[in-house]
């Protein structure tokens, strides 16, 4: 935040905008980490920005802030380098010891586990809801297919009307 404020003191318009964005990102991440003030945390949780409460969301926001820092002269380069070492150090620990971060981060609402793990891709979490099934009876999928019978519920006319 200090580096961004010093950067904003120059009179260039783009410096002020970049500094403002970096301060905004840092303040949002501070609110998310401390979970205070409660009304801002609740507002973020109930919006489309709830991804910042997950490991991957915090990781992306921190990388974005460090990239902004790299454009802020020597002081920004030093702060950005320190930030990157911390980010990648935490990522390394999270991959090696995934249980260390279970209490700090939340699982996204879409049912995928994007917290930490051995592979870079998202893995699916078994949420224990047996009522969700695919048409073939296999686990996973959407509730809309639970009692769906394609032989009785769709005709060629329904398909053609849907394509128009």
């Amino acid at each position: 935040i200090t580096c961004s404020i010093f950067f904003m003191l120059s009179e260039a318009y783009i410096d002020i905008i970049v500094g403002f964005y970096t301060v905004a990102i840092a303040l949002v991440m501070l609110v998310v980490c401390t979970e205070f003030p409660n009304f801002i945390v609740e507002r973020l949780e109930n919006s489309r920005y709830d991804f910042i409460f997950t490991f991957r969301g915090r990781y992306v926001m921190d990388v974005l802030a460090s990239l902004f820092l790299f454009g802020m002269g020597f002081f920004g380069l030093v702060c950005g380098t320190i930030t990157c070492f911390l980010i990648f150090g935490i990522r390394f620990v999270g991959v090696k010891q995934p249980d260390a971060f279970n209490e700090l981060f939340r699982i996204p609402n879409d049912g995928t586990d994007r917290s930490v793990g051995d592979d870079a891709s998202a893995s699916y979490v078994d949420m224990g809801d047996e009522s969700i099934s695919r048409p073939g009876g296999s686990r996973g999928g959407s509730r809309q297919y639970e009692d769906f019978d394609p032989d009785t519920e769709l005709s060629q006319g329904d398909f053609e009307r849907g394509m128009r």
Side-chain angles (χ1 to χ4, degrees), residues 6-136:
F6 281 129
F7 191 69
M8 287 172 41
L9 294 177
S10 70
E11 306 230 353
Y13 175 73
I14 193 72
D15 294 348
I16 295 169
I17 296 298
V18 169
F20 176 76
Y21 281 148
T22 308
V23 167
I25 290 171
L27 289 176
V28 166
M29 295 313 296
L30 182 65
V31 166
V32 168
C33 288
T34 61
E35 293 191 6
F36 181 81
N38 292 333
F39 68 94
I40 294 176
V41 173
E42 289 174 11
R43 180 85 185 235
L44 288 171
E45 285 176 338
N46 297 324
S47 69
R48 64 182 180 169
Y49 304 111
D50 64 342
F51 69 92
I52 61 176
F53 291 96
T54 64
F55 182 80
R56 188 165 291 169
R58 289 188 193 186
Y59 185 78
V60 168
M61 294 296 286
D62 289 339
V63 168
L64 184 63
S66 68
L67 290 175
F68 277 129
L69 286 170
F70 282 122
M72 295 184 186
F74 180 73
F75 189 34
L77 183 67
V78 170
C79 291
T81 303
I82 292 170
T83 303
C84 281
F85 277 122
L86 290 172
I87 291 168
F88 294 120
I90 290 170
R91 175 70 180 168
F92 179 74
V93 170
V95 169
K96 296 295 180 185
Q97 299 291 330
D99 293 334
F101 295 107
N102 286 343
E103 293 180 13
L104 297 175
F105 304 107
R106 300 177 188 166
I107 295 174
N109 290 335
D110 62 358
T112 57
D113 180 11
R114 294 190 180 125
S115 56
V116 292
D118 291 327
D119 62 355
S121 64
S123 61
Y124 291 95
V125 176
D126 182 9
M127 302 304 277
D129 188 1
E130 297 299 328
S131 65
I132 300 174
S133 63
R134 290 189 180 157

